[in-house]
Amino acid sequence: MSEYDGGMDYGHVEAGQEHESLDQLHQVNASESDYNNQFNVYEQDHAAAESTSFDQGRHVEFTGADGSHYEESNFTSYDHSAAESDHIFAAEGSESSHQAEFSQLDALRAQLNSAFSEATVIDTDTPPSIAAG
């Protein structure tokens, strides 16, 4: 209605309340598993062999015209043998394991309460003003 529709007074008033709620559920389930191993083996071999042989000899034989006979023998013999073997062995290692589980539950509940009031009033006792431009 406008003020030109018979000069009536128009009014509207409203008041009330609103109630709302919010429910939210958040759930997380997680697991983690790790495994690590590290092994090292060190090995070294060494072998040596030596062999020495030394021989020396001398043989003299003489037969004379008169029937005499002379014989001489000198002999030297030397043998040497050696063997050597070395072995080194080393090992090291590590092993680890990890396992974890995680669970989380979040619940949110919110209650929203609000009050409102609204009013619209038209007063027809005051004449409209028109601004001059």
Side-chain angles (χ1 to χ4, degrees):
M1 261 190 194
S2 72
E3 60 187 83
Y4 300 108
D5 291 340
M8 299 178 91
D9 186 13
Y10 174 76
H12 173 77
V13 175
E14 182 180 355
Q17 290 184 348
E18 291 183 358
H19 302 283
E20 294 184 23
S21 64
L22 174 66
D23 291 325
Q24 182 179 3
L25 185 63
H26 180 72
Q27 184 175 3
V28 174
N29 290 319
S31 65
E32 168 183 286
S33 179
D34 295 326
Y35 176 77
N36 183 22
N37 67 12
Q38 182 177 358
F39 292 100
N40 295 314
V41 175
Y42 306 101
E43 190 167 5
Q44 181 180 0
D45 286 326
H46 172 258
E50 178 182 323
S51 178
T52 303
S53 179
F54 175 71
D55 295 324
Q56 183 180 30
R58 179 175 179 229
H59 181 71
V60 176
E61 186 173 347
F62 175 72
T63 303
D66 59 354
S68 63
H69 183 73
Y70 174 76
E71 185 175 347
E72 178 185 348
S73 293
N74 292 329
F75 200 86
T76 303
S77 178
Y78 172 76
D79 288 323
H80 170 74
S81 295
E84 181 181 331
S85 177
D86 295 328
H87 180 78
I88 298 172
F89 178 81
E92 67 175 343
S94 67
E95 183 175 22
S96 65
S97 176
H98 166 76
Q99 189 169 5
E101 293 184 9
F102 175 73
S103 182
Q104 178 181 6
L105 179 65
D106 292 333
L108 173 67
R109 178 167 176 83
Q111 185 72 31
L112 305 172
N113 295 323
S114 64
F116 69 90
S117 63
E118 176 181 295
T120 305
V121 176
I122 298 176
D123 185 9
T124 59
D125 292 338
T126 306
S129 64
I130 300 175

